[in-house]
Amino acid sequence: MNKRLFPLLVFIIVSVSVNAQRVSYQELAFRTEIPTIFVSDLILPGENRQTTLAFTFRFNNDFLPYKKIPLNNNLSAPNDAQFYTTLRLNAEIFEGNSKRRNAASMKSVSRDLWTDTLFVSSFEDTQSDEIFTSGSLSTTLKPGLYNYVLQLTMMQERNERSTQRRNIALPDLAKKKTGEIILVSEFENSSDQKNLKLMNMEQNVPFGEDFYALIRIPNYEESFQYRLVINEAKISRRDTTAGKNVHSQDISSAEIFTESTVSLQQRNEPSLKLTQGNSPYTYAVVKVPHKKFENAAYLLNVQKGDEKTPVAKTFFKSYWPDMPASLFNLDVAIDMLKYIVSEDEVKRIKSGSNQEKEEKFRKFWSSKDPTPETVFNELMAEYYRRIDYAYKEFGSQENPLGHENDQGEVYIKFGPPESKERLFPAGERVREVWTYNNRTFVFEASTGFGDYVLVGTR
């Protein structure tokens, strides 16, 4: 079991693909509540010209079904544990490409199984998206065409949850002309050990965290200069193309490891081991200064000399697990400015093309950024965080949109009060008094379902 906190260290850039959709704030808030899981497949060298197919995974606690530990149990639980869950993940590999008509008759060539029992000490931990379990499955096969199924069982469920069959081609890496790039969170580079802890979040990288790119360079030639190039990714329904260049750096000789291979290790906390000597591959391990990047999607390429075709490439995107719901859609984010600017100003910012709207939105918040020397705008993040909090905290059966009632609006504008007091005057409605440093707001219950309206200020 691992606990990891993701700092909020970057300024948000809104995805064009999401902007194109017409959605409401409530829909976005619902989406952010859906638990996240990560499953990645890796292609690695195997022995005797074979290829290793590895699956790494991460399941956040809010996805897992925890139960209270019974008094009489035979679980080997820690002393402070109160809840537990069990997991079983199975990978089965079949020969050839999958075709629906004959899928059942396909020949199974490999299976691997991972199981674990997890414990936490509080109910809050069972709901956390910051506490997670991780692991890996792997098999080594000769190059060729295969398909696979992953099957997940939680808490001794009778029925497994199975993915659809997915085709995958295992290449002969000694002949493959384009290298693979694997995202790595930590690199231990000592004289006797070269270990790489996998990011293990599919193609996502946490905001504000630098990372390493593990790059296999095919047909490496020492006489050429290799260069890492990162561009913003322009995403459309049909294709993903390179946009503005955000970073370039030469790959130094100290970052290149010739006659090397990599192998999977640490089954429960997936990592790779890089080994040098008598191996046919060349790898580079390059640190990427992701702290400087805005929240966006990117294309990472490795260029060889003046050649235009990259020798290795991948896609990655910044990941903000607690990103306020409004920021998933530019129009919604602009609409939510209504609590602090006039209706005419909202209309002005919202007019024009997506690019024009984004530029005006950025300019508005940039002018209010308390730390303009960094890419993270704390004031903007706090403002939209308050909207999410108000939506959840002050909604009621009568009005589920808590950010739109009086208490929600006050909270969004002024933040949490220094003190709250609930009064029960005889023969009158319940009142709630919020006290701030220089003002006080008085709310009165309008129904018996938690709805409060502002009745006075002082």
Side-chain angles (χ1 to χ4, degrees), residues 53-55 88-95 103-114 136-141 146-151 160 165 267:
L53 171 61
F55 300 101
R88 179 181 186 272
L89 186 65
N90 175 70
E92 187 164 11
I93 317 297
F94 300 88
E95 201 170 55
S105 63
M106 286 205 164
K107 179 183 177 181
S108 175
V109 295
S110 178
R111 290 189 180 95
D112 195 13
L113 174 67
W114 178 92
S136 63
L137 301 163
S138 65
T139 186
T140 299
L141 299 165
Y146 298 89
N147 68 92
Y148 66 87
V149 175
L150 301 180
Q151 298 170 319
E160 296 175 327
R165 285 178 183 260
R267 188 173 174 86

Side-chain angles (χ1 to χ4, degrees), residues 28-46:
L28 295 176
F30 175 75
R31 291 183 193 178
T32 61
E33 293 298 312
I34 298 174
T36 302
I37 66 173
F38 303 98
V39 180
S40 304
D41 57 76
L42 305 178
I43 303 296
L44 305 171

Side-chain angles (χ1 to χ4, degrees), residues 396 398 429-430 443-455:
S396 66
E398 291 292 318
R429 294 176 182 267
V430 177
F443 304 94
E444 185 176 85
S446 60
T447 69
F449 300 99
D451 288 301
Y452 285 83
V453 295
L454 183 66
V455 294

Side-chain angles (χ1 to χ4, degrees), residues 93-277:
I93 317 297
F94 300 88
E95 201 170 55
N97 276 342
S98 171
K99 297 180 181 179
R100 292 183 179 179
R101 292 181 180 179
N102 64 354
S105 63
M106 286 205 164
K107 179 183 177 181
S108 175
V109 295
S110 178
R111 290 189 180 95
D112 195 13
L113 174 67
W114 178 92
T115 62
D116 202 0
T117 301
L118 313 174
F119 301 95
V120 294
S121 58
S122 68
F123 175 77
E124 289 72 24
D125 286 346
T126 70
Q127 306 299 303
S128 174
D129 62 359
E130 297 174 344
I131 305 175
F132 57 86
T133 188
S134 60
S136 63
L137 301 163
S138 65
T139 186
T140 299
L141 299 165
K142 63 181 182 181
L145 300 177
Y146 298 89
N147 68 92
Y148 66 87
V149 175
L150 301 180
Q151 298 170 319
L152 174 65
T153 305
M154 300 185 289
M155 290 301 291
Q156 292 89 38
E157 294 172 328
R158 292 184 178 181
N159 298 320
E160 296 175 327
R161 306 181 186 200
S162 299
T163 65
Q164 294 181 346
R165 285 178 183 260
R166 297 182 180 178
N167 295 324
I168 190 166
L170 299 190
D172 182 344
L173 294 182
K175 297 180 179 179
K176 188 169 180 279
K177 295 181 179 180
T178 303
E180 305 76 44
I181 300 178
I182 299 174
L183 307 183
V184 173
S185 60
E186 299 175 18
F187 178 36
E188 178 188 359
N189 183 14
S190 62
S191 57
D192 57 342
Q193 290 192 26
K194 291 177 174 53
N195 297 324
L196 304 107
K197 185 177 180 181
L198 293 173
M199 188 66 70
N200 200 21
M201 296 171 61
E202 297 179 8
Q203 296 304 106
N204 298 284
V205 179
F207 280 10
E209 291 190 17
D210 293 342
F211 68 96
Y212 293 87
L214 172 65
I215 307 155
R216 186 180 67 84
I217 303 178
N219 304 316
Y220 173 71
E221 296 182 68
E222 188 176 357
S223 59
F224 282 84
Q225 176 64 59
Y226 290 82
R227 188 168 182 79
L228 183 142
V229 179
I230 299 177
N231 294 81
E232 287 185 357
K234 293 183 176 180
I235 303 173
S236 66
R237 293 182 179 180
R238 296 183 178 181
D239 198 6
T240 299
T241 57
K244 180 181 67 174
N245 176 259
V246 297
H247 180 75
S248 297
Q249 68 184 79
D250 288 340
I251 300 177
S252 69
S253 58
E255 296 171 310
I256 294 177
F257 303 89
T258 58
E259 298 182 344
S260 297
T261 189
V262 293
S263 56
L264 185 68
Q265 61 176 358
Q266 293 191 12
R267 188 173 174 86
N268 282 342
E269 294 184 25
S271 63
L272 299 176
K273 181 179 180 181
L274 190 152
T275 306
Q276 285 186 282

